[in-house]
Amino acid sequence: MVSRFEHPAGGYKKIFETCEELSEPLPTTVTGRIPSFLKGSLLRLGPGLFEIGDEPFYHLFDGQALMHKFDFKNGQVTYFRKFIRTDAYVRAITEKRVVITEFGTFAYPDPCKNIFSRFFSYFKGVEVTDNCLVNVYPVGEDFYAVTETNYITKVNTDTLETLKKVDMCNYVNINGVTAHPHIERDGTVYNIGNCMGKGATLAYNIVRIPPTQKDKSDPIEKSKVVVQFPSAERFKPSYVHSFGMSDNYFVFVETPVKINLLKFLSAWSIRGSNYMDCFESNENQGTLFHIARKNPGEYIDHKFKGAGIGMFHHINTYEDQGFIVVDLCAWKGFEFVYNYLWLANLRANWEEVKKAAMMAPQPEVRRYVIPTDVHKEEQGKNLISLPYTTATAVMHADGTIWLEPEVLFSGPRQAFEFPQINYRKYGGKNYSYTYGLGLNHFIPDRICKLNVKTKETWVWQEPESYPSEPLFVQTPDGVDEDDGVLLTIVAAPGSQRPAYLLILNAKDLSEIARAEVECSIPVTFHGMYKP
């Protein structure tokens, strides 16, 4: 699953360049045959505007949200894209400057305002960004583009028009929610975010949004907190990007990467501060694994602990014989990986990109196993009895249960990231396959498949081609877990047609078809296939 290519030509720099939106869908040039069961749309989100006037955005997560759509119809494919009309975008375009502070870019006060009005704007509190560049998911019959703040943005997935901004704080006690909810077959949505808990200490809430309502009311208005996880530190929540969910449990991994809330609250009065300045690492904490029952929501107070990791994406979580199996994409150590995702780093020449990546945390696909039935007298022995894993859980004298993972994939500076599975059938269930985007020193240059049971791997890769997260779509009459296709958008900056939608056979990653477009497409993070 390791990359076979070097990238000295630096074509990857093109995926971090501003592009124009389209006024109407473009036709594509199809080679191969588009499977007849693909009849819907592939929706993707990422940054599309990397500077405003002469003011640049500095971090990968700062560029303004651009929504992409490939539509499938009768074996033909069209491509369309539009900027989402967030407050961050509209005000920036109107004022021709960065108006709302983004993840790694500070918005300077309006130079035209006098000193008093600038002074007062500091005390009005923070304008939190609504730049929803990370993912899109369904809630009831609606679709929302999202980032990790309290704002989500309702979009029309046919026209890509922006409908309205929704503040989740109006419905539940939450400071923000992740861009990685879990969605059950009936449409119930679960998500997690940090919140103010009991006695003015921080905590993390799991929020449940019900499925489509019979009376056609908005499901978001019926959002409820299901269960609360405690925070290891009173004023410093861990950064949380996703969580695990099986049939009966939630799993929350509390990493040593912290948000210093006091710094966060004061940062907005310090000239030049942004979100990135508020992260720090607690080198002593390690990683805490929390579990809670799902229904009714109940926190289970066992102390599961492991060595420090950074973690963004869970792959899958399932139960087996009294154990919870948690597969995730880990980064070893306690340093924040986002420190390596400044655009200046990613746009550097290949030798520089490699040099920077040598310093970064190392990626690894890991399996942790958590016993649900724990007894004090079992000190010192491995509590895991599943025959197929080398992961261990050992009770220490202080009652802490120390977790050691099984490594499912490891390659130096070669990440298996942006993982996807056959989620509809195998989300929360015992499964075999995961698909991912291969990062080579942080540059996305291959599509990978991993058998988590045998550790067998498959790779799709072409020179000077930069793919994105692969989404799995099952063949309607498919029997096997991997009967289906993968959809990914590939940037091929040197080609006559600089980007294409690629359709791979999920069994062996062989190419089925591609639909090439005449324009370049920048980096995208996450998305969905809408049938």
Side-chain angles (χ1 to χ4, degrees), residues 312-384:
F312 306 103
H313 300 119
H314 280 262
I315 300 173
N316 200 11
T317 307
Y318 67 87
E319 298 154 43
D320 191 2
Q321 302 164 48
F323 299 97
I324 305 172
V325 178
V326 183
D327 291 353
L328 49 81
C329 300
W331 295 82
K332 295 187 223 176
F334 48 77
E335 197 191 351
F336 196 28
V337 175
Y338 289 3
N339 290 338
Y340 293 87
L341 302 181
W342 295 98
L343 289 167
N345 286 26
L346 299 171
R347 290 172 174 148
N349 290 329
W350 180 236
E351 291 307 314
E352 294 299 310
V353 164
K354 285 199 297 190
K355 219 185 314 184
M358 298 301 271
M359 319 287 293
Q362 287 305 299
E364 207 165 69
V365 180
R366 291 183 168 189
R367 166 166 288 180
Y368 289 90
V369 180
I370 300 173
T372 55
D373 193 22
V374 176
H375 302 286
K376 279 276 189 285
E377 63 273 11
E378 300 186 287
Q379 210 175 302
K381 72 177 184 59
N382 176 22
L383 307 176
I384 309 301

Side-chain angles (χ1 to χ4, degrees), residues 19 37 63 90 138 195 273 284 349 368 453:
C19 65
F37 65 85
V90 172
C195 65
S273 284
N284 305 318
N349 290 329
Y368 289 90
K453 292 188 158 78

Side-chain angles (χ1 to χ4, degrees), residues 55 95 97 108-115 118:
E55 292 189 20
E95 297 190 34
R97 64 186 189 89
Y108 283 94
D110 185 346
C112 305
K113 283 187 183 166
N114 69 31
I115 188 83
R118 287 214 305 253

Side-chain angles (χ1 to χ4, degrees), residues 194-457:
N194 66 55
C195 65
M196 288 311 288
K198 298 180 186 78
T201 53
L202 273 157
Y204 310 87
N205 278 341
I206 296 246
V207 172
R208 176 183 183 273
I209 306 174
T212 306
Q213 301 293 296
K214 287 203 172 50
D215 62 3
K216 292 283 178 265
S217 62
D218 186 349
I220 288 180
E221 293 171 2
K222 299 188 173 62
S223 304
K224 290 245 183 332
V225 172
V226 186
V227 69
Q228 190 167 90
F229 291 105
S231 173
E233 289 190 73
R234 270 191 80 154
F235 300 116
K236 294 179 184 177
S238 288
Y239 175 69
V240 50
H241 189 89
S242 66
F243 65 105
M245 187 174 90
S246 64
D247 283 344
N248 301 294
Y249 292 93
F250 298 116
V251 176
F252 163 51
V253 179
E254 194 176 15
T255 72
V257 175
K258 300 287 176 184
I259 303 163
N260 183 327
L261 267 204
L262 300 177
K263 217 187 242 177
F264 183 80
L265 295 171
S266 62
W268 309 99
S269 59
I270 301 166
R271 201 171 161 80
S273 284
N274 57 51
Y275 294 81
M276 273 297 284
D277 298 329
C278 305
F279 288 99
E280 57 186 53
S281 291
N282 177 343
E283 297 172 23
N284 305 318
Q285 180 196 288
T287 302
L288 306 173
F289 294 78
H290 301 270
I291 58 172
R293 277 193 195 88
K294 202 165 136 188
N295 215 344
E298 180 196 3
Y299 179 63
I300 298 167
D301 199 3
H302 289 312
K303 299 260 179 296
F304 298 106
K305 196 172 176 182
I309 57 168
M311 203 271 300
F312 306 103
H313 300 119
H314 280 262
I315 300 173
N316 200 11
T317 307
Y318 67 87
E319 298 154 43
D320 191 2
Q321 302 164 48
F323 299 97
I324 305 172
V325 178
V326 183
D327 291 353
L328 49 81
C329 300
W331 295 82
K332 295 187 223 176
F334 48 77
E335 197 191 351
F336 196 28
V337 175
Y338 289 3
N339 290 338
Y340 293 87
L341 302 181
W342 295 98
L343 289 167
N345 286 26
L346 299 171
R347 290 172 174 148
N349 290 329
W350 180 236
E351 291 307 314
E352 294 299 310
V353 164
K354 285 199 297 190
K355 219 185 314 184
M358 298 301 271
M359 319 287 293
Q362 287 305 299
E364 207 165 69
V365 180
R366 291 183 168 189
R367 166 166 288 180
Y368 289 90
V369 180
I370 300 173
T372 55
D373 193 22
V374 176
H375 302 286
K376 279 276 189 285
E377 63 273 11
E378 300 186 287
Q379 210 175 302
K381 72 177 184 59
N382 176 22
L383 307 176
I384 309 301
S385 56
L386 289 178
Y388 54 79
T389 182
T390 54
T392 60
V394 175
M395 166 90 72
H396 288 196
D398 65 356
T400 305
I401 298 140
W402 185 265
L403 304 180
E404 283 291 345
E406 174 182 2
V407 176
L408 300 181
F409 170 77
S410 181
R413 288 160 284 282
Q414 304 283 320
F416 176 96
E417 260 291 351
F418 296 86
Q420 289 287 330
I421 60 169
N422 179 343
Y423 186 84
R424 269 192 76 76
K425 275 199 163 171
Y426 290 87
K429 308 263 188 274
N430 193 335
Y431 75 119
S432 298
Y433 302 109
T434 175
Y435 312 93
L437 176 63
L439 304 182
N440 173 7
H441 299 75
F442 294 110
I443 300 301
D445 72 354
R446 63 203 182 280
I447 296 294
C448 317
K449 176 183 181 178
L450 169 65
N451 181 328
V452 295
K453 292 188 158 78
T454 65
K455 303 189 169 84
E456 187 183 358
T457 61

